[in-house]
Amino acid sequence: MIKDTIVNGPQNAAHRSLYHALGMTKEEQQRPLIGIVSSYNEIVPGHINIDKIVEAVRMGVAMAGGTPIVFPAIAVCDGIAMGHTGMKYSLVTRDLIADSTEAMVRAHGFDGLVMVPNCDKNVPGLLMAAARVNIPTVFVSGGPMLAGRVNGKKTSLSSMFEAVGAYNAGKIDEEQLTVCEENTCPTCGSCSGMYTANSMNCLTEALGMGLAGNGTIPAVYSKRIELAKHAGMQVMELVRQNICPRDIMTEKAFKNALTVDMALGCSTNSMLHLPAIANECDVEFSLDMANKVSTKTPNLCHLAPAGPTYMEDLNEAGGVYAVMKELTKLDLLDTSVLTCTGRTMGENIAHSFNRDPSVIRPVEDPYSQTGGIAVLRGNLAPEGSVVKRSAVAPEMLVHEGPAKVFDCEEDAQAAINAGKIVAGDVVVIRYEGPKGGPGMREMLNPTSAIMGMGLGGSVALITDGRFSGATRGACIGHVSPEAASRGPIGIVKDGDIISINIPENRIELKIDPSEFEERMQNFTPKTKELSGYLKRYANMVSSGASGAILK
């Protein structure tokens, strides 16, 4: 306990004097000191309510006999950062968050932690930190946004980006665009579809690091406050039992999370974050695992953007635990794993059930017999690439067409807006990977423009960058190696035929093998002048295929 090394005894009088400077009583100093990592800020809609969550956690910790101490973590809003230089700073914050949290915890010697994240890189960054410091920890997120309402129908942020594409194509007028703008994001919280933030908050439950409802109880519901109080109380129980993150985040737990990922149809970004978190736990996690799990895991949910249901609907249907209960019918989960409740996963989900088969399909009637994410390989992506299969139109599962090649997102976006992309094309966006971007920008603007223009059933897009969880369509990201690392995506020319076969997990550049070799031998990647954190990041980051971890 911290009081044995920092608080008690004459040798620690100086430390105690600084606790007194905080207004901390002797009684508080003798209780377990619980760090509460607050991701509150006033620029991210998913974080504007976190001050309320943190206060509830504080109360729970105090009710259970601990001393709560709050310190901050940063967060970027991917939606606001989308489509400009700001997006280069999104993925890179995952490591800043992990590093800074590790520094605060190690420097101040907390006995336990409650992590309060919500948005995209905030959740995996704090899970990475939890694994590193390995002291008793519970997660409670800020919760998802309620769906918007436009023309009597539920909607979400992905629809808003697609509305911009529809406006550019002349399909809706400015008045209709404004109606969408003012009604799509009606509350605080992480955006209301199965995007990256909600994917990772749901997978936190599946990993065993969050209590029931962590991923699905809407941000504005009073139940979210109750959940936060219970998280504060539960961390004290974990301290008493000395149950730590690495006791929970085991190899079996990661396999469970990957299985739930496939059933839910989570964001492709989970294929960056799960490997990075596993790396911190010394657990082996490769892209090859994804297809192995996918082949035997049915896809049970089509939440936005894959379908017409939203996080509030998943919550009403029974949440993540109800999905897991369905999966146990096929014996797809290891229910013996320990969780932050102090009980096994099997005990946690014992009384859960599927309240709405239209939201969570029964395993007897899935959307598909295979999971929501697929990893494609071939001469264009020898280390792998990732697609959200559950959000691809059936007619695009197999596609072959000519490449339209761009060396940055902005050039591709300009071509799409100018009507230069036509049915059958395969848009290639390169030099947007972890090193080449740097920062592996999300490509929601171009993918939404393609969908909004009505080309989603006839145009594919591939990139060494990545996609937002809000992306739908035949959009293949994380192409590895990336162009900046002499990956084959760097040798593609306009007009080259690219073949995509998602059911067979293949992606190929169809040119003569001898020409392929000649192009590769003569290929010198483009470079960029960098400075500051992005320069350091580009020098240290690994391939997207291994989670874009820093080495």
Side-chain angles (χ1 to χ4, degrees):
M1 297 291 283
I2 185 177
K3 60 178 176 290
D4 298 324
T5 56
I6 296 179
V7 176
N8 289 343
Q11 72 278 8
N12 290 318
H15 298 107
R16 292 196 297 275
S17 71
L18 292 168
Y19 285 138
H20 285 299
L22 296 172
M24 190 183 295
T25 66
K26 291 181 179 179
E27 291 81 3
E28 288 174 299
Q29 293 175 36
Q30 288 302 309
R31 296 174 178 176
L33 299 185
I34 305 299
I36 303 173
V37 186
S38 171
S39 304
Y40 169 78
N41 63 49
E42 294 184 344
I43 190 61
V44 182
H47 291 228
I48 192 70
N49 66 317
I50 279 180
D51 57 339
K52 309 295 189 299
I53 305 297
V54 166
E55 282 307 307
V57 173
R58 286 172 61 99
M59 183 174 291
V61 170
M63 287 166 62
T67 298
I69 302 172
V70 179
F71 64 90
I74 63 168
V76 164
C77 176
D78 278 26
I80 294 174
M82 195 70 66
H84 57 90
T85 301
M87 182 47 73
K88 294 179 185 289
Y89 289 88
S90 172
L91 179 60
V92 304
T93 64
R94 185 185 71 183
D95 296 274
L96 285 174
I97 291 161
D99 292 348
S100 59
T101 302
E102 175 192 0
M104 286 294 290
V105 174
R106 294 295 191 209
H108 301 105
F110 294 102
D111 293 307
L113 297 167
V114 179
M115 305 288 202
V116 191
N118 212 23
C119 288
D120 295 30
K121 312 309 168 296
N122 202 238
V123 185
L126 290 181
L127 282 164
M128 289 162 67
R132 283 186 202 172
V133 300
N134 201 36
I135 61 174
T137 302
V138 177
F139 276 67
V140 56
S141 76
M145 185 184 291
L146 293 178
R149 300 290 193 283
V150 174
N151 299 325
K153 294 183 179 179
K154 287 183 179 181
T155 190
S156 60
L157 186 65
S158 55
S159 299
M160 187 64 241
F161 276 91
E162 290 177 18
V164 174
Y167 171 77
N168 289 335
K171 294 190 171 187
I172 63 173
D173 60 23
E174 190 170 355
E175 183 179 351
Q176 290 172 298
L177 184 65
T178 300
V179 169
C180 293
E181 173 190 334
E182 293 178 351
N183 294 281
T184 292
C185 297
T187 72
C188 61
S190 48
C191 296
S192 56
M194 187 52 80
Y195 310 144
T196 305
N198 292 326
S199 295
M200 294 310 301
N201 282 322
C202 288
L203 295 183
T204 299
E205 282 189 60
L207 276 171
M209 291 296 292
L211 302 179
N214 176 73
T216 59
I217 298 172
V220 294
Y221 281 16
S222 299
K223 283 288 183 185
R224 175 65 53 180
I225 300 297
E226 293 182 29
L227 181 69
K229 291 176 183 174
H230 283 131
M233 289 186 272
Q234 183 57 29
V235 75
M236 293 300 297
E237 186 58 35
L238 296 185
V239 169
R240 281 188 279 273
Q241 296 185 44
N242 193 33
I243 296 174
C244 298
R246 292 197 189 191
D247 299 323
I248 296 169
M249 291 193 286
T250 61
E251 184 178 351
K252 292 177 180 178
F254 278 99
K255 188 175 179 184
N256 282 348
L258 186 54
T259 303
V260 173
D261 188 338
M262 295 298 172
L264 284 172
C266 289
S267 164
T268 52
N269 283 313
S270 64
M271 292 297 100
L272 284 175
H273 301 320
L274 286 176
I277 300 160
N279 178 67
E280 299 290 351
C281 297
D282 293 326
V283 170
E284 234 181 87
F285 190 109
S286 72
L287 285 186
D288 292 327
M289 294 169 60
N291 285 342
K292 288 178 183 176
V293 170
S294 180
T295 55
K296 54 186 178 182
T297 304
N299 178 225
L300 306 181
C301 299
H302 269 191
L303 290 105
T309 54
Y310 297 83
M311 295 306 296
E312 61 200 68
D313 302 313
L314 179 59
N315 186 64
E316 294 298 319
V320 176
Y321 278 15
V323 174
M324 296 183 81
K325 191 64 175 291
E326 282 289 341
L327 294 172
T328 61
K329 295 178 183 177
L330 300 177
D331 198 26
L332 292 175
L333 299 176
D334 189 324
T335 57
S336 69
V337 295
L338 183 65
T339 71
C340 70
T341 65
R343 301 185 298 273
T344 67
M345 186 62 76
E347 291 172 313
N348 288 347
I349 67 174
H351 302 294
S352 299
F353 64 95
N354 185 354
R355 298 191 183 99
D356 189 344
S358 70
V359 176
I360 304 171
R361 288 274 190 95
V363 293
E364 298 84 5
D365 181 32
Y367 283 102
S368 66
Q369 295 293 341
T370 51
I373 290 175
V375 173
L376 314 185
R377 293 183 186 271
N379 67 354
L380 192 52
E383 290 180 3
S385 60
V386 181
V387 63
K388 188 170 183 176
R389 173 168 37 196
S390 60
V392 177
E395 62 269 24
M396 289 299 291
L397 290 171
V398 178
H399 179 75
E400 189 169 291
K404 294 281 182 70
V405 183
F406 306 93
D407 287 343
C408 66
E409 178 188 1
E410 287 83 356
D411 289 351
Q413 186 69 45
I416 295 167
N417 291 345
K420 295 180 180 179
I421 304 303
V422 298
D425 284 346
V426 178
V427 178
V428 178
I429 306 177
R430 61 194 179 193
Y431 294 104
E432 291 287 6
K435 288 181 181 293
M440 207 177 186
R441 286 196 288 181
E442 289 185 344
M443 303 289 159
L444 182 56
N445 274 352
T447 60
S448 297
I450 287 168
M451 297 301 297
M453 291 176 171
L455 295 172
S458 59
V459 170
L461 191 154
I462 70 172
T463 180
D464 53 9
R466 61 195 176 91
F467 295 114
S468 166
T471 289
R472 64 190 177 106
C475 300
I476 299 160
H478 309 193
V479 172
S480 301
E482 61 178 294
S485 296
R486 297 196 80 251
I489 191 173
I491 66 169
V492 182
K493 296 180 180 180
D494 282 338
D496 286 346
I497 300 300
I498 293 176
S499 173
I500 298 164
N501 191 319
I502 295 173
E504 293 184 6
N505 306 115
R506 299 292 297 172
I507 181 167
E508 297 283 343
L509 176 61
K510 298 191 76 175
I511 61 175
D512 186 86
S514 61
E515 183 178 351
F516 186 97
E517 282 301 316
E518 183 181 351
R519 287 193 198 180
M520 287 300 296
Q521 287 173 9
N522 296 325
F523 173 42
T524 301
K526 295 182 178 181
T527 58
K528 298 176 182 177
E529 288 294 323
L530 300 172
S531 62
Y533 181 52
L534 289 183
K535 183 176 183 178
R536 298 199 304 275
Y537 184 87
N539 287 335
M540 297 171 67
V541 71
S542 70
S543 166
S546 57
I549 59 175
L550 299 187
K551 292 187 176 179

